[in-house]
Amino acid sequence: MNNEYDLIVVGGGVLGTFHAYHAIKKGLKVALLEKDGKPQGATVRNFGQVVPSGMDSKWQKYGRESLRIYKKIQKKFDISVQQEGSIYIASNAEEVQLLEELRDINIKNAYPSELLTKAECLTRYVGLRNDYVKAGLYFPEEVKVEPRIMINKLHGYLKELGLHIYMNQTALECDTLKNGVQVYTSQHLLLSSSKVIICNGHNFKTLYPKLFAESDLVVSKLQMMQTKPQPNYRLPSSVLTGLSIRRYEAFKECTSYPKIKEREDQNAFQNRWGVHVLFKQALDGSIILGDSHEYAPAGKIDDLGMDLNMDIDNFIIEEAKKIFDLPTYEIQSRWYGLYAQCKNSDIFQHTVDRDIHIVTGIGGKGMTGSAGFAKQNINSIFNLEHV
């Protein structure tokens, strides 16, 4: 086997995989290294919502490009993409005002959205509580995926395009050569390439641990759960609620946002634990619910512990019941995800010796923003902007 490549990508999650995708599309010879038998990190521990509507103006551009990429791939190869749209449900006058302002922002950005009345929301969404909803803002272009299915199917598609994927291969060393980089793995595999891109999620203990410990990276622990399949019930799109309106970055660009946030009780349970309530129906009819946010520095991830805080899960369920009367709230599974993000920037990028590029800390933007961001980043790293 010829172990020489144009690019080695370390990390088989959504961010690393889309870097590999765009490199392959540019005609480069690419290898992808994944430390597990299949991805186990944030890529498979999220809702599977692709929602550019929730992003600030910079990242919405990446998210909208991601939508085009997901849909393009889906036409050629089934990776579980479903275009059902997303809706934000407002529960009071302040949240309605934010929806109206976000709609105006998106009109300027030429991103389609539709402001729905209370009656229209109640008609479209069976089980939505009359005493909760005041209005909704619907984004028809947005999609959902099955996260535990999508990434593995995407790997299968990329193999057909010529990607070399090495599973159960932890990259232990990256050594700069006179021309290029050499990568040594846990299974004694030695690969060389012109460049390496490291998309290591929250794995900060193997490569460059001192660099990460001294950075502004933090890790967020998010709790999520999944109901049993809902009998004879269909949720027509992903649903984001009032707490999401008060948290997502897109709304921070709204004129009213600062004053509305000032009036919030920062000691309230939902603010202490970063809770916002989302609903997304999976292929088996179950509903994924969540989530929460607990933080620790990159060098102290173990402080987050391995336990699920049942007070958080119970709070999410009780809040969800105030929003939707689902046929069942019986839970079939619970889990947490660990997402790396930066305190002071929107993503972590660092170059080691010219040809080793670290890209991580994308936070909750990974499923939505990775495809579009990776396209731009591959062009930048390989100076292919005009190719």
Side-chain angles (χ1 to χ4, degrees):
M1 183 181 294
N2 183 354
N3 289 345
E4 295 183 0
Y5 296 90
D6 298 308
L7 172 66
I8 296 171
V9 178
V10 177
V14 65
L15 184 57
T17 299
F18 273 115
H19 275 87
Y21 167 79
H22 290 297
I24 286 283
K25 297 292 284 184
K26 294 293 185 181
L28 303 177
K29 184 181 179 184
V30 184
L32 180 69
L33 300 179
E34 166 55 42
K35 65 182 179 61
D36 297 309
K38 57 184 178 179
Q40 301 290 321
T43 294
V44 298
R45 296 172 182 245
N46 66 86
F47 284 91
Q49 296 174 322
V50 183
V51 284
S53 56
M55 294 176 151
D56 63 24
S57 295
K58 172 186 173 181
W59 278 88
Q60 188 186 93
K61 292 178 182 178
Y62 292 135
R64 290 168 68 175
E65 180 62 21
S66 293
L67 284 177
R68 289 188 282 270
I69 293 165
Y70 276 116
K71 293 172 185 178
K72 180 180 179 181
I73 295 173
Q74 181 66 28
K75 287 181 180 179
K76 299 178 179 179
F77 194 96
D78 180 14
I79 59 169
S80 81
V81 174
Q82 296 175 280
Q83 184 176 338
E84 296 184 349
S86 307
I87 189 169
Y88 296 80
I89 303 290
S91 66
N92 57 38
E94 289 182 337
E95 292 162 8
V96 172
Q97 184 173 359
L98 289 172
L99 290 187
E100 291 172 345
E101 292 174 6
L102 186 66
R103 176 200 57 184
D104 292 342
I105 289 171
N106 281 290
I107 288 173
K108 294 177 182 177
N109 292 339
Y111 188 48
S113 66
E114 180 183 359
L115 194 63
L116 304 180
T117 65
K118 174 174 181 169
E120 289 172 327
C121 291
L122 289 169
T123 299
R124 290 194 188 190
Y125 294 86
V126 175
L128 181 60
R129 289 181 61 96
N130 180 72
D131 56 354
Y132 181 85
V133 60
K134 296 295 184 290
L137 187 61
Y138 177 68
F139 290 85
E141 295 296 318
E142 298 186 340
V143 307
K144 67 180 185 180
V145 302
E146 295 294 298
R148 300 183 186 185
I149 295 174
M150 186 281 292
I151 192 65
N152 298 301
K153 288 197 169 189
L154 183 56
H155 286 168
Y157 174 60
L158 294 187
K159 284 181 181 178
E160 292 187 3
L161 297 183
L163 178 66
H164 293 187
I165 301 182
Y166 299 89
M167 293 295 186
N168 292 307
Q169 295 279 359
T170 300
L172 298 179
E173 296 179 17
C174 288
D175 299 318
T176 303
L177 306 176
K178 186 176 181 180
N179 291 301
V181 185
Q182 198 169 65
V183 178
Y184 182 70
T185 78
S186 55
Q187 300 297 321
H188 309 295
L189 188 64
L190 190 62
L191 307 177
S192 62
S193 65
S194 299
K195 296 184 183 295
V196 170
I197 298 176
I198 299 172
C199 300
N200 53 323
H202 68 276
N203 179 20
F204 300 136
K205 296 182 177 181
T206 308
L207 295 173
Y208 311 107
K210 187 173 184 291
L211 171 69
F212 294 122
E214 294 175 352
S215 73
D216 73 335
L217 281 161
V218 296
V219 174
S220 178
K221 180 180 180 180
L222 294 79
Q223 292 187 196
M224 304 175 67
M225 65 198 95
Q226 190 167 7
T227 71
K228 290 193 172 180
Q230 302 288 327
N232 302 315
Y233 180 81
R234 184 176 181 275
L235 193 64
S237 74
S238 298
V239 176
L240 305 96
T241 65
L243 292 178
S244 305
I245 293 170
R246 294 172 178 274
R247 182 177 178 86
Y248 272 22
E249 291 177 351
F251 294 96
K252 295 178 182 179
E253 298 183 347
C254 295
T255 304
S256 302
Y257 185 84
K259 289 186 177 180
I260 289 173
K261 289 299 286 185
E262 279 179 11
R263 293 192 287 268
E264 287 188 1
D265 178 5
Q266 296 306 312
N267 292 318
F269 188 92
Q270 64 268 24
N271 289 326
R272 286 192 287 117
W273 294 102
V275 172
H276 60 132
V277 182
L278 296 84
F279 301 78
K280 182 241 180 173
Q281 192 161 35
L283 287 176
D284 67 355
S286 62
I287 300 289
I288 301 176
L289 296 171
D291 54 11
S292 60
H293 299 77
E294 182 182 359
Y295 300 95
K300 297 183 178 180
I301 297 176
D302 295 342
D303 290 353
L304 293 171
M306 66 181 73
D307 297 322
L308 292 171
N309 183 331
M310 294 308 298
D311 288 341
I312 292 175
D313 278 9
N314 291 336
F315 179 84
I316 290 172
I317 292 171
E318 290 308 308
E319 289 300 305
K321 288 179 178 178
K322 297 175 184 176
I323 303 169
F324 270 96
D325 290 324
L326 297 177
T328 179
Y329 272 96
E330 189 174 358
I331 302 301
Q332 69 175 355
S333 59
R334 305 173 190 263
W335 67 92
Y336 68 84
L338 297 176
Y339 298 3
Q341 62 188 70
C342 299
K343 289 182 181 178
N344 303 310
S345 58
D346 50 11
I347 192 167
F348 181 86
Q349 293 181 270
H350 183 88
T351 299
V352 180
D353 296 334
R354 190 184 68 249
D355 291 323
I356 301 172
H357 303 272
I358 301 171
V359 187
T360 189
I362 197 170
K365 304 184 294 294
M367 194 61 77
T368 300
S370 290
F373 173 80
K375 179 179 181 179
Q376 175 270 324
N377 201 37
I378 284 293
N379 286 341
S380 176
I381 289 172
F382 284 91
N383 296 313
L384 297 172
E385 286 88 346
H386 304 296
V387 175

